Amino acid sequence: MTKRIDRRVMLRALIVLVIAVAAFIALGASGSPAIASTTDTVVAHSAALSNEAPSALTQDTTTVHATADTESSGVGDNRYVQQFINGIVFGLLLALASVGLSLIYGTTGLSNFAHGEQVSLGALLTFFFASKQEVSLPFLPVEFSIGWPLLPSALAAIAISAGTGWLQDRYLWSPLRRRRVSIVQQMIVSIGLSLAMLNFIQWWFGAERKRLTTSIDTRLDLGLFSIGQTTIWSVLIALVCLGGVGYFLLKTRTGRATRAVSDNPALASASGIRVEKVVRLVWIMATGLAAVGGILLALYDNAAAFDVGARLLLLMFAAVTLGGLGQAFGALVGSLVIGVAVEMSTLWIGTDLKYAVALAILILVLLVRPQGILGRAERVG
Amino acid sequence: MTDAPVIVDADDLYAGYLPGIDILNGCSMRVQEGELIGIIGPNGAGKSTFLKALFGLVPIRSGSVTLGDEDITNMRADELVKRGIGFVPQTNNVFPSLTVLENLEMGTYQRPKAFKAQWERIGELFPKLVDRRDQRAGSLSGGERQMVAMARALMMDPKVLLLDEPSAGLSPDRQDETFVRTREINRTGVTVIMVEQNARRCLQICDRGYVLDQGTTAYTASGQELLKDPKVIELYLGTLGA
Ligand SMILES: Nc1ncnc2c1ncn2[C@@H]1O[C@H](COP(=O)(O)OP(=O)(O)OP(=O)(O)O)[C@@H](O)[C@H]1O
Ligand SMILES: [Mg+2]
């Protein structure tokens, strides 16, 4: 994966994107008054204090931010540009969450269904540390409040999440691999783990949406679109993290070894690479990044519930598959395409159809390019 | 046989991929330092499995492998690399999404400081790879991939080199080149154990040959003797063009 691929590949992604956008404009011509129907969520959303009304739970997460943006951006703004920007933002945050999924798939072959819960965990652990309300630990009857500022809370949440990645690989995935448990069986274990974690998180934090906001929350009006200050910071953080992953994979020795393991683990170990060590590192990175993604998405939505990750999981899989399974940069490209497509589609069709839109894009792209946008058709023989 | 010390001693190996199914049943091989060993045998005899078992990629169920005086049975591949064993697999022997240069870098993964010097040395041996260094290995031709695979193993500067059909898929002149090169590498003091389909060429250049059939090392003799052995001729060399 070098500099050469990028131009061709970006061009490809761009073409796909343009086609997708065109398809939705065409779809929109057939008309569907979706926007009006979604506005009332915002009220409920901003009115609620720390624990939102459980009814908000049934609302889709992107509904909330999509409308939050349209609401506060004044009249005369370009809705198309606005939704496009929202899509890019959402895509970048989605990429943070899904890049780890892609790395794990690449190095171990596992489709980790529990990755969504890692996203939720990051967001809710941040809430745990930052909340001024009473919180409690699982199994302990004492209630207390920590109330740290956001940054240290987030850092602690990321560290703990990364720790769960280490723990999982050390005591679960690595032993399964050593016993040569098949990939399908491992995948089923991950589905079970996903449900277990989902229930655990719900039991710990409850089913309500937890509010997560920053103090800097003014919106900047940039003519064609407006953007919240928190969002700008989120985008910057996402870019730094994704850039960091790219730098790691392309420019560091361990990163190149990671790509080598993705290509061919047996040959990697025959080259003297300690494959298990690389995989352990990948798990730590993947879960850490999922936490960052979860936190930023929660800030973007101003709240997080125990099932944010579970709701995102399908979009994450779509993004990873779309970009090219196992291609770390594919996750980024795929996420951007999905993000933009999903957000733009809300201009014409209901947000409830978000997954349908993602699925349609996924199928369209796979029909044209079965290996995904960045995936390469390997030569046979 | 000379009286050089034994470097690799595989004793009565039983090994296989799936539980309960042994592919190797009673393989033994004793290799002296500096020897060039050829392994021939029919398809599916277990030749590749034998090399993989030596290299810790297939679990050995009984028997032992020693390197010098150290027991290396079932040792992890990366530990074996550290001890100076290099392996070029028969298939999937490059990292397709890595560039040629990155592929070779993986050869010195454990000794990054040695990379520069080794790259210059190997570059002289394979000038073509220097031109192609930024190309993805997945886009190389089969022969070029074989070159990358061999070069990657040589980057480690191994004491013992295991080669699995290095001439497979090459044009006749390239095959010759591979055999000559293998011989050259061997002359620099590297012990080479190579599996070959091209039995005649292999036996011509090797010091000693092993015939592996149905998971057992059937017999061994010097390359020249095997070339003249009527049974070997009938079973493995073919009578055409003899
Ligand atoms: N990964 C694997 N899993 C299960 N069985 C395998 C595997 N690889 C090889 N085998 C089996 O082991 C036996 C020996 O295979 P091996 O590759 O060692 O043969 P070989 O002598 O190298 O043949 P060839 O000349 O065709 O390369 C075969 O019957 C094959 O089916
Ligand atoms: Mg073979």
Side-chain angles (χ1 to χ4, degrees), chain B residues 43-44 46-49 52 90 164-165 195 197:
Chain B
N43 291 128
K47 305 182 296 295
S48 299
T49 308
K52 283 189 256 178
Q90 178 176 1
D164 198 347
E165 305 203 11
V195 167
Q197 283 303 337

Side-chain angles (χ1 to χ4, degrees), chain A residues 29-177:
Chain A
S30 59
S32 164
I35 308 191
S37 67
T38 54
T39 20
D40 52 332
T41 25
V42 180
V43 187
H45 178 218
S46 44
L49 280 168
S50 310
N51 283 344
E52 300 214 343
S55 68
L57 223 146
T58 52
Q59 303 291 348
D60 232 330
T61 35
T62 44
T63 316
V64 176
H65 60 72
T67 44
D69 279 322
T70 28
E71 175 215 43
S72 45
S73 58
V75 269
D77 287 347
N78 189 325
R79 270 178 21 219
Y80 296 91
V81 177
Q82 181 68 58
Q83 284 307 85
F84 182 78
I85 298 295
N86 288 352
I88 296 283
V89 172
F90 180 57
L92 279 174
L93 303 187
L94 184 65
L96 266 185
S98 52
V99 70
L101 192 65
S102 179
L103 282 173
I104 290 174
Y105 178 85
T107 47
T108 66
L110 172 70
S111 301
N112 179 26
F113 279 78
H115 206 68
E117 275 60 52
Q118 296 291 341
V119 174
S120 317
L121 191 67
L124 289 173
L125 280 175
T126 307
F127 169 83
F128 176 79
F129 288 116
S131 174
K132 297 269 191 287
Q133 309 176 250
E134 302 272 282
V135 289
S136 66
L137 279 168
F139 304 111
L140 290 183
V142 278
E143 296 223 322
F144 50 92
S145 96
I146 302 177
W148 288 349
L150 184 63
L151 191 65
S153 304
L155 290 178
I158 294 165
I160 294 176
S161 297
T164 64
W166 179 87
L167 215 67
Q168 267 177 68
D169 189 53
R170 171 72 181 75
Y171 292 103
L172 177 62
W173 304 113
S174 164
L176 289 182
R177 283 194 301 273

Side-chain angles (χ1 to χ4, degrees), chain A residues 267-331:
Chain A
L267 190 65
S269 86
S271 301
I273 297 169
R274 288 191 60 179
V275 175
E276 284 297 311
K277 244 169 108 177
V278 170
V279 171
R280 185 76 37 95
L281 182 70
V282 163
W283 269 98
I284 294 171
M285 268 176 56
T287 44
L289 285 166
V292 179
I295 296 166
L296 296 184
L297 279 163
L299 290 176
Y300 186 52
D301 288 341
N302 295 316
F306 72 100
D307 62 348
V308 270
R311 287 154 173 274
L312 269 184
L313 187 70
L314 277 177
L315 291 184
M316 281 156 53
F317 270 123
V320 168
T321 315
L322 191 61
L325 276 174
Q327 305 276 344
F329 300 95

Side-chain angles (χ1 to χ4, degrees), chain B residues 162-209:
Chain B
L162 312 178
L163 300 176
D164 198 347
E165 305 203 11
S167 78
L170 300 184
S171 59
D173 58 321
R174 274 295 171 66
Q175 288 195 18
D176 278 350
E177 196 186 316
T178 305
F179 286 114
V180 170
R181 184 162 283 157
T182 308
R183 184 83 232 179
E184 270 168 15
I185 291 165
N186 172 249
R187 292 245 164 83
T188 64
V190 181
T191 307
V192 179
I193 303 176
M194 81 192 286
V195 167
E196 258 301 330
Q197 283 303 337
N198 192 338
R200 191 177 305 278
R201 282 304 264 130
C202 173
L203 293 178
Q204 277 166 0
I205 63 156
C206 69
D207 298 319
R208 221 145 43 78

Side-chain angles (χ1 to χ4, degrees), chain A residues 1-5 180 249-250 252-254 256-257 259-261 263-275 278 327 376 378-379 381, chain B residues 55 57 59 76-78 81 87 89 92-99 102 105-107 109-110 112 134-136 138-142 145 152 156:
Chain A
M1 205 164 295
T2 49
K3 316 108 215 173
R4 280 178 310 100
I5 60 152
R180 292 172 193 261
L249 288 174
L250 292 174
T252 69
R253 212 165 60 89
T254 316
R256 289 190 286 262
R259 284 159 55 215
V261 172
D263 266 7
N264 188 338
L267 190 65
S269 86
S271 301
I273 297 169
R274 288 191 60 179
V275 175
V278 170
Q327 305 276 344
R376 293 188 194 81
E378 281 308 331
R379 41 188 301 158
Chain B
F55 202 65
L57 296 175
R76 263 203 333 259
D78 60 84
V81 169
F87 176 44
N92 298 327
N93 50 19
V94 297
F95 299 109
S97 74
L98 268 58
T99 64
E102 288 170 336
E105 186 198 4
M106 291 303 124
Y109 186 74
Q110 291 184 347
D134 290 325
Q135 190 172 337
R136 280 195 323 109
S139 65
L140 295 172
S141 81
R145 285 185 190 207
R152 195 205 87 248
M156 324 173 177

